[in-house]
Structure formats: C-alpha cells, structure tokens
Amino acid sequence: MSSSSETGAFVQTPSQTVGPFFGYALPYQGGADVVDRTHPAAIRLHGRVFDGAGVGVPDAIVEVWQPDESGVISTELGSFERDGYTFTGFGRVPTTRAGDYTFTTVKPGVAVAGGVAGVAVAGGDATGAGHPEAGAASAAVAVAGAPYALITVFARGLLHHLFTRAYFVDADGAESFESFAQTDATLSTVLADRRATLVASQDGPGSYRFDITLQGDNETVFFDFDA
Amino acid sequence: MAETTQAEISAEIAAIASEVRAAANAGAPPELQARRDYAPYRSSVLRHPTHALVKADPEEIERTSPAFGHTDVDLFEADLTIQHPGEPLGERIVVAGKVLDGEGRPVRNQLIEVWQANASGRYVHKRDQHPAPLDPNFTGVGRVMTGDDGSYRLITIKPGPYPWRNHLNAWRPAHIHFSLFGSAFTQRLVTQMYFPGDPLFALDPIYQSVVDPAAQQRMVSEYDHDLSVPEWALGYRWNIVLTGPKSTWMEQDDDHE
Ligand SMILES: [Fe+3]
C-alpha cells in the first residue's frame, strides 16, 4: 500500500494547509455554540488570531475541545446538529474579517474521565459523571493539573495546524495562573515569560479573552503532543 | 513592485530541495511533515511560529476526540454528485481507501470531511474570483464516517486545477481537501489529496512544502482499476495514516458508536 514504507511501518500522512476556501465546508450552524447561551454556566470565550505583523487573520478557523464544567469529557454525538442541551465538548468557528472568533461554552473543569493513572480522584469515583462536586473537591486535594480547553488553529498559510491550551483565570484571582503553573505538569515546563500567552483572562462577567498570536514577540505557546 | 515569477519560485523550491537532498545524503532522517515555514508559499511567512513547539504529554482531553456518528452525518453526504437536482459536469470518480493509525490499525467510526473545486477549478466560495464557471449541480462538500475496518468511499467529480495569487501564473495541482478526526485529538489532520502524475507538482509551493519525496507520495492517490465502476466512474485509492502520541495511551477505548 502506498502509505507504508519499505520498513513496513505506517508513516503519517503529511499535513497541508486548510487553504482559503474552507468557508462553505467546515463552518456549520451552531459550531460556535458548545452550549446554548441560556445554559446557566454559559461563558463567552473569544479572541483574535494575529499574524506576525500583528494583523488579524481573517481566514483562520478555530476549534475547541474541552471537558464540561465538572471535568467530564463528553462521548455524546451531536456536535453538527446541536439540540441545545447535549454537551458534546466540541466547537468550530471561522474568524471574522477582523480575525476574531467567539465561542459560547462553559469553563472546563479538570478532566477526570477515564481516571488517568497518577491522578488520584477524591472519593474513588473515577468517572465524575453525575457528581459535579467531585471535580471541585478533588481539585483542592489531589488533582494534578489545571482546567483548560484545547484550542486548535487552522488557516491559509498554516501548513500544519497549531495546538494550544486556554487556561481560564478569573478576574477575582481565586485561581491564579501561577498556582496552576505549580500543579500543572505541562505549564511547569513552559518558560515563565511565555506562560501568560496560555491565559484566557476574564474580561467581563462570564467572558474570557484568549488571543492567539501565530508569530512574533508575543507568540502563543503551541504544543507538540507527539513527544 | 513586479510580481514574483514562477521561475523565481521554482528556484527557491529547487534551492530548498537541494538542501534536503544534501541533508539526506549526510544521513539526516526524512522530514515526514510539511515545513511550517516554507517561504515559496508566501502566506506561510508571517503565519508560522518562530518559537519551538513546546513538547507536552497529552492529557485526557488530547487523548480523546469528539464523537461523530450517524446523527451528525447522513450516508448520502459521501456522494458529492447527488446534492442537487441535476448531474454535475465533469469526470465522475470514486475515491476510496482506509484510515489507519501508526500501527496499521483501522481508525474506525471517525469523521472525514472533504471539500474541493468543481471540474472547472472553481470553488463555491465568495472569495474565489477565478473566472471559471460555477456548476449549479456541484457544491463540492462531503462527509463520511469510516467503517469498522477504517475504510471510506466517496463519489465525486475530479476537481480542476486552479490559479491562485501566490505568484504570477501560479496554479494549484488538482486536489481534494480532507479533514480527519482520529480516536485522539492529537491525530487531527487537515491535508490535501492529489492525483497521480500531475505536471503541476514540481511548480506548487504547497505540495513542495512537504520536502521529502517519499512523504510527498503519501499525499498522492493512485489510480486503481479495481475501484473503477464499468460505464460509470474511475477509481482512485488513497490511504491515510493518522499518528498520535506514541506512548502511554494505547489501550484507549475509541468506540464512539
Ligand atoms: Fe484548494
């Protein structure tokens, strides 16, 4: 088969840019609404995608994939046909002419689904499902890591998509980003002077801003999970 | 300022290719992926990260993927030729293959999205100003879920090459855009499938951004006469390999259905 090399290994198919013409293919109705605006925990997650000249990128498409507010990772179908109630954890939205994107979602909890080895969940309930308090209680006790949403960026000019994480920090400072950095294994490896690019900071009631800078002095930290 | 010519772009492509050959001769491992910074593709210049990516162990959210299924994708979406009252113009083709992971295991019940230009090389997109005709019977968007063996099958029209503004007289080789989800978000892939023997490969900075010749071939479908349907369509086979993090998560239950 063409995708296997002489050694018999299955070698990855290379990435190519999403190009400029995805606009009638990838965006979909409801893509921005991970939850409905009437959801009691609904927040706005928004920002601008900047290029290396500080100009907004009008032809990017941003995806979010995150646990719900209690840290449960959804296995529900329905991301393409929202029913307004089911949390699927996935959203996708193209940037505007200014380079802006907006999701309606919830602040993620620390992911607990699957019970990752090394993460002791208080009370022995590894699923977290149906126990909204479990995530919060264990966060204070034993959960390693800080809550975040996985953000993926595609754009014309990006030959390979970029992964980053939006860590939510409230304006009241109840959870400080520096405390996240002490408990989160990944954050602790990110140079202190670049960590701030991973903050979705509260810019209003129920609103968090997460700008994505593709290149330059304030370049967002992008991750390679293929370590 | 005079527009960059194809000759200038081709010279840049050749210079990078000769560096790659020299590195390979010196024993460097092949570059499996597209370069993020590939100057002949002008749009990449201000849009690639200049800091090294931060290596991170994937956590639970990165080891899983959103669930898509029959309630998200209708079976007929795999046929791009039946979305309108009439038949689209052009060469009807079957595109089929398997989606596999790095161990050769099927990536089952996962979403594939495709989009493409019509037979004349025109997208149904308001920013596409290429003066070629739109086809009222062809939108060029499809979706399909992989089967239990990782297989997929699409019916469509062979897309035409089209001009773009990277440089003077720039033309993209014919391609179909693919977007794939694997069983982990780290396997996410957006790429383009090409057709064998396209004379534009050598001239195209996007294709050439994958600098390793063997890696380039992984983006090219092969004509498969066994896939062709008598009196009806020609068949192209393209297998896709999604790799993810190589350690610690092999036993994930990826059954979303
Ligand atoms: Fe294209």
Side-chain angles (χ1 to χ4, degrees), chain B residues 123 162 172 175 177:
Chain B
Y123 284 91
Y162 59 84
R172 294 297 327 281
H175 59 273
H177 294 267

Side-chain angles (χ1 to χ4, degrees), chain A residues 14-16 63 156-157 219 226, chain B residues 41 43 47 188 191 194 244:
Chain A
S15 170
Q16 293 273 266
E63 292 181 348
R156 180 177 65 85
E219 187 174 305
D226 208 21
Chain B
Y41 177 30
S43 303
R47 293 186 172 189
R188 187 88 176 80
T191 188
Y194 298 93

Side-chain angles (χ1 to χ4, degrees), chain B residues 6 23-24 26 31-32 36 48 61 82 84 90 114 116 127 139 143 149 171 184:
Chain B
Q6 179 69 56
E31 295 178 44
L32 301 180
R36 293 167 193 269
H48 70 274
I61 196 74
I82 59 168
H84 299 275
V114 297
Q116 62 167 90
R127 285 184 196 145
T139 304
R143 298 193 288 208
D149 58 353
W171 290 80

Side-chain angles (χ1 to χ4, degrees), chain A residues 165-213:
Chain A
R165 290 172 174 176
Y167 289 84
F168 291 76
V169 172
D170 285 346
D172 65 11
E175 297 152 310
S176 85
F177 190 66
E178 285 314 309
S179 70
F180 288 166
Q182 283 164 21
T183 58
D184 187 286
T186 299
L187 280 181
S188 65
T189 68
V190 177
L191 291 176
D193 64 345
R194 299 194 64 209
R195 276 182 205 150
T197 68
L198 298 172
V199 175
S201 56
Q202 193 170 6
D203 67 341
S207 179
Y208 294 80
R209 179 160 185 129
F210 185 71
D211 289 336
I212 301 164
T213 303

Side-chain angles (χ1 to χ4, degrees), chain B residues 63-235:
Chain B
R63 289 189 297 254
T64 54
S65 197
F68 297 98
H70 54 92
T71 55
D72 293 292
V73 180
D74 280 311
L75 285 175
F76 67 76
E77 293 185 67
D79 188 340
L80 284 71
T81 70
I82 59 168
Q83 298 173 353
H84 299 275
E87 293 261 359
L89 296 171
E91 182 182 338
R92 189 188 296 106
I93 60 172
V94 175
V95 177
K98 283 188 177 180
V99 184
L100 304 169
D101 71 12
E103 312 296 315
R105 296 173 299 200
V107 175
R108 53 176 64 98
N109 305 324
Q110 299 295 343
L111 175 68
I112 301 176
E113 297 164 274
V114 297
W115 67 103
Q116 62 167 90
N118 68 20
S120 307
R122 179 83 186 266
Y123 284 91
V124 183
H125 188 288
K126 59 180 185 293
R127 285 184 196 145
D128 184 359
Q129 298 302 313
H130 174 33
L134 287 166
D135 183 340
N137 292 314
F138 191 74
T139 304
V141 176
R143 298 193 288 208
V144 64
M145 300 295 297
T146 60
D148 279 340
D149 58 353
S151 65
Y152 71 92
R153 186 171 187 268
L154 296 157
I155 312 293
T156 187
I157 295 295
K158 192 172 183 186
Y162 59 84
W164 60 311
R165 300 278 168 81
N166 189 68
H167 55 276
L168 189 62
N169 208 14
W171 290 80
R172 294 297 327 281
H175 59 273
I176 300 177
H177 294 267
F178 273 67
S179 164
L180 300 105
F181 289 83
S183 54
F185 215 95
T186 51
Q187 296 176 331
R188 187 88 176 80
L189 178 68
V190 168
T191 188
Q192 302 178 23
M193 185 206 89
Y194 298 93
F195 293 87
D198 197 314
L200 294 168
F201 286 158
L203 309 178
D204 179 40
I206 293 180
Y207 177 90
Q208 294 291 336
S209 71
V210 176
V211 296
D212 177 61
Q216 289 174 352
Q217 285 307 307
R218 296 185 190 109
M219 302 187 292
V220 182
S221 58
E222 53 190 43
Y223 173 70
D224 185 341
H225 200 64
D226 291 335
L227 270 181
S228 296
V229 180
E231 316 299 324
W232 195 69
L234 293 181

